[in-house]
Every structure is written in structure tokens, then in C-alpha cells.
Amino acid sequence: MEDRISDLPDSIIHHILSFLPSTKQAIQTSVMSKRWQKQWTYVPVLIFNYSGTYSDVSDEGITNISRSIDNILILHDCSKIKIFHLDYPCRNEKDPHFSEKIRFATRKDVEELYLNTWYGEYVLPKFLLNNVSVVKLNIICCKVLMSNEKVNWECLTELNMEHCNLPDQVIGHMLSGSPLLFSLELCDCDGFDKFVIASKSMKRLVFRYKDFDRYSISHLEISCQNLEVLYLEAIVIYDPNLFAQAIENVLSVSLLLESFELIDCLDIDKLVIASKSLKRLVLRDIYVTPNIEISCPTLEELKLLGNLNVRTAKLMSLTSSLSATIDYYCYDCQCYYDVELCYCESLFRDILLILQHVEELRIGRRFFQFLSALELVEVLFSPMLNIKCLILNSVDFLNEGSRIACTS
């Protein structure tokens, strides 16, 4: 059989090998023929992923992993590295072997760098803070300590950090040294009391907690005039008035903001969402919020999901082209058990009437059950409603299932 792949130019073969899930698999192609024996050494992608579990890790095992990676790096002849993934356990705060592997990548002008140390003890080396080649940087389970060190990430555009310890001022240092940064994602990071984001280049900001219940801070300030996407999840500010004010401020400053998601937040006395640019708004699991006001004349998609403990809601300046999804319930009311104690009957009715002219209305299982318990189902089919498309979901919109669609 004719081997057409081996007849390809070396550059094409190297490009094909760069799509393999790991460097180990790229090395295994050496057995194909003599020509393939050294092809992997010129692949600009190096991916080292430890596939074991925490219980499998021993000091001897970590040493063996480190040595096997070093042996591969010694043989690697590519002058430039495009992607470098280093994912294996590291218990040492200043592990020189782990640091040397990172230095190997930086010396070859790595563009995308992914680091995962598993235990969160390893401190990011200072030489990495001064790097002009990295474009995308993913850091998992590391500490970032700095006193007077300056950050120089002049080419960095995307920064993702997960389970990292970031003392106060660290985030500010990173932002000031990243003039081209347009995407920042912080997931389950801790160590700071104030969350202050100021950037002229940033377009996407994600700040969330998924493994912790919630994270408490004393101050929230986001000043990004070119921000387009904002996602905030499981954040608590000691003073609820400051939280509401911070939301109002970021909406007033970010004149290009198109998508805003607020998830699992507590103790907000009043939530005002007013924007002339917002096209997508998602509110899910917002607790202790008596009043919500939404005034977004450009809104195209609105989602109210989960537990929204709301007493009053004002939806103003909504267009008829809006697509709205409602799948929320009021847990504190316990409507399923005592309808007479429910204070949200009028609220639910008002919400439906406010949305009576939307293009598409999607009703989730939980909200439909509340309407049934409160005997408000007839409101959905009232002549007052002028909805073009009504979708009733038999499960919920967090896990899309079968549904019944009624179009007019």
C-alpha cells in the first residue's frame, strides 16, 4: 500500500503531529518508519499530562515523571514552541525541576503556556513574570507572590487562572503589565480581599466560584470601558449596598457591554441593570433581592433562572424582538405547600404581562409548576398576551429536554 502521508513535506507532518493529544503519542509514531523516528522532535507542541489520581502520587512517582519529561526535552530540536502543556503533581513551593521545564519553554518563545501543579504549593517563578512571547497563559493550582517585581506580559491576550492564590495588588500588577489583555478568567482563586479590575483593552471578564460555596470580598470595582462580556458567579460583598453600586458602575462605564451573567449572589438590597448596549442578560439564583429593575432597550435575550427571591420587578424599555426564558421559583415562599403564604402571585402575573409582546417566551418546568399551583396557567393563554412563540419545557432550561412549542 502506498504511504502518502510519509511522502508529505516535513512541515506538514509536524503540523499533523501537533494535533495529537499528548507528546507521548507523537513519540509513538517513531515506529512507523525510519523517516518518522525523529519527526516528533520538530513538533512545536509539547503536551505532558499526568493521568493518575491524587491517591496514586508518591514522591518517587513524581521524580520519575519529571525525569521522563526532561529526557524528552533534551531530544527536542524545534527552535520555537507554539504550545507547552505541563500538567503533573508538584508539592514543592520552589521546585527547581518544574521551574526549569518552564524556562525551557520560555527560551523557545512559547506562545501558549499551560501549567497545572495539582497541589497549589508551587510559586510562579519570577522569570515568567517578565515574558514577551506568551500570548495565552493558563495557570492552575499555583501561588503568585510579588513585592516590587513588575510584570511584563506585553503580548499576552488571554489569561486564565484557576485555584490560584492571589494576594491583594497581584491582579493589579498583572493587568498593568498586560496592555493587550482582552480576556481574563479567574475561577476559584483566593487570597485577596479586594477585587479591582481596571483595563482599557479587556473585552471579556469571568469571575466565578464553582468548587467553593461563595467567596467574600470587601470591595468590587470593574473599570473596563471596552468590556463586552461580563460573568460574575458566587460572589459576596460584605456591604450589599456596595455590590449593587458596583453593578451600576460597571454598566455605566462599559458602554460596549453586550452580555452580562450574574449567578448565585447573596444579600443584594436592590439590583438595577440599566444599559444602552446590553443584548444578553442572565440572572440565576439571586438571593435576598427585594427589587430588580431592568432597563435595556437593546436587549435581545433575557433569562431568569433558578431561585430569584424577588418582591418586585420592573422591566422597562424592552423590545418586541426579545427572546425571554423564565424558569425560576421562589424557594422561601414554599408555594408548593401553602399557596396562601405566597407573596409572588402578583409578581408572576406582572412578569407575564410585561413580556406579553416578546417574540419568543420560554417557560421552564419549575416556573410552570408555580403557575399551576397558583392557578395562573390561564394567563399564558390570555388574549392579552401577544407572544409569537410560546415554548413550554417539560424539564428545565438548565438541562434542555423535550418541549411543547406553540406558535401563532
Side-chain angles (χ1 to χ4, degrees):
M1 181 180 293
E2 185 179 359
D3 185 0
R4 295 185 178 182
I5 295 181
S6 294
D7 290 338
L8 293 172
D10 287 350
S11 59
I12 301 298
I13 294 177
H14 302 158
H15 182 69
I16 293 173
L17 292 179
S18 68
F19 288 97
L20 291 175
S22 69
T23 297
K24 180 180 179 180
Q25 291 176 313
I27 295 174
Q28 289 172 345
T29 63
S30 299
V31 301
M32 296 178 64
S33 67
K34 289 184 178 180
R35 189 191 172 193
W36 285 81
Q37 287 181 359
K38 292 187 178 182
Q39 294 293 345
W40 71 268
T41 64
Y42 298 99
V43 176
V45 176
L46 290 171
I47 300 178
F48 304 103
N49 291 326
Y50 177 66
S51 58
T53 64
Y54 284 96
S55 59
D56 297 332
V57 177
S58 65
D59 291 340
E60 182 180 359
I62 294 175
T63 300
N64 291 335
I65 294 170
S66 179
R67 287 175 179 173
S68 64
I69 295 175
D70 288 338
N71 292 335
I72 292 173
L73 297 183
I74 291 173
L75 298 174
H76 193 260
D77 285 334
C78 190
S79 60
K80 182 178 176 60
I81 296 179
K82 184 177 180 181
I83 300 175
F84 189 79
H85 279 217
L86 193 59
D87 180 352
Y88 77 90
C90 175
R91 294 194 181 102
N92 194 333
E93 188 177 79
K94 296 182 179 181
D95 188 334
H97 302 289
F98 202 94
S99 298
E100 280 305 310
K101 294 173 180 57
I102 300 174
R103 191 183 293 276
F104 173 88
T106 58
R107 284 173 175 169
K108 295 198 174 186
D109 297 329
V110 61
E111 294 181 9
E112 298 182 26
L113 182 60
Y114 177 98
L115 305 174
N116 185 356
T117 69
W118 288 49
Y119 290 98
E121 298 298 325
Y122 180 75
V123 177
L124 212 63
K126 293 182 180 180
F127 67 81
L128 184 58
L129 301 177
N130 184 18
N131 182 283
V132 296
S133 67
V134 174
V135 176
K136 296 181 181 180
L137 181 58
N138 290 268
I139 304 173
I140 301 177
C141 297
C142 290
K143 294 180 180 179
V144 184
L145 305 178
M146 57 179 67
S147 53
N148 297 323
E149 291 83 7
K150 291 185 178 181
V151 177
N152 182 17
W153 290 336
E154 63 180 38
C155 292
L156 189 68
T157 60
E158 298 182 32
L159 175 61
N160 301 318
M161 306 188 76
E162 184 174 345
H163 291 290
C164 290
N165 184 272
L166 307 172
D168 281 330
Q169 307 301 324
V170 167
I171 297 177
H173 281 291
M174 292 190 298
L175 292 177
S176 63
S178 308
L180 301 181
L181 187 69
F182 73 82
S183 178
L184 173 64
E185 183 168 346
L186 301 179
C187 179
D188 292 324
C189 294
D190 59 12
F192 54 89
D193 180 61
K194 298 179 180 180
F195 186 70
V196 179
I197 299 293
S199 172
K200 294 181 180 180
S201 60
M202 191 173 302
K203 294 183 178 181
R204 177 179 178 271
L205 174 61
V206 176
F207 184 31
R208 64 191 177 120
Y209 288 84
K210 58 181 183 180
D211 290 345
F212 303 151
D213 289 336
R214 293 178 187 87
Y215 192 70
S216 298
I217 55 179
S218 65
H219 186 70
L220 173 65
E221 183 179 344
I222 300 172
S223 180
C224 304
Q225 60 193 36
N226 292 310
L227 194 65
E228 296 178 1
V229 177
L230 177 60
Y231 182 103
L232 302 176
E233 179 178 355
I235 305 169
V236 178
I237 296 186
Y238 306 143
D239 187 339
N241 293 323
L242 292 179
F243 195 114
Q245 187 62 49
I247 297 300
E248 291 186 43
N249 289 341
V250 67
L251 291 174
S252 64
V253 172
S254 305
L255 301 179
L256 302 179
L257 189 66
E258 294 186 357
S259 177
F260 178 36
E261 295 188 46
L262 188 62
I263 313 295
D264 193 18
C265 294
L266 290 173
D267 300 330
I268 308 174
D269 288 340
K270 183 178 181 180
L271 182 60
V272 178
I273 299 177
S275 170
K276 295 182 179 180
S277 62
L278 203 63
K279 294 182 179 180
R280 180 175 183 270
L281 174 61
V282 178
L283 301 177
R284 191 179 80 205
D285 295 331
I286 308 298
Y287 301 92
V288 197
T289 307
N291 307 298
I292 290 181
E293 293 183 10
I294 300 174
S295 178
C296 303
T298 59
L299 202 62
E300 298 176 358
E301 181 181 359
L302 171 64
K303 291 186 177 183
L304 304 176
L305 308 172
N307 181 11
L308 296 179
N309 189 5
V310 181
R311 299 284 175 150
T312 62
K314 294 182 180 180
L315 282 67
M316 302 169 287
S317 304
L318 300 180
T319 64
S320 60
S321 61
L322 176 69
S323 173
T325 300
I326 303 179
D327 191 16
Y328 74 85
Y329 60 94
C330 185
Y331 178 80
D332 292 340
C333 292
Q334 298 181 352
C335 300
Y336 294 118
Y337 309 106
D338 195 343
V339 175
E340 294 181 359
L341 295 179
C342 179
Y343 61 74
C344 53
E345 177 177 352
S346 61
L347 172 66
F348 290 171
R349 184 188 297 273
D350 291 343
I351 290 291
L352 291 176
L353 294 177
I354 290 172
L355 298 174
Q356 61 181 307
H357 296 294
V358 301
E359 185 170 300
E360 180 180 278
L361 178 60
R362 298 152 64 90
I363 302 294
R365 173 184 58 85
R366 290 172 296 186
F367 187 67
F368 189 80
Q369 287 177 330
F370 268 83
L371 293 179
S372 301
L374 296 171
E375 299 181 355
L376 290 175
V377 176
E378 69 276 4
V379 178
L380 286 175
F381 305 98
S382 168
M384 298 178 63
L385 295 182
N386 189 28
I387 300 170
K388 293 182 180 180
C389 180
L390 174 62
I391 298 175
L392 305 180
N393 198 316
S394 61
V395 188
D396 58 60
F397 286 105
L398 297 179
N399 298 293
E400 293 262 1
S402 59
R403 64 190 185 187
I404 303 172
C406 304
T407 57
S408 58

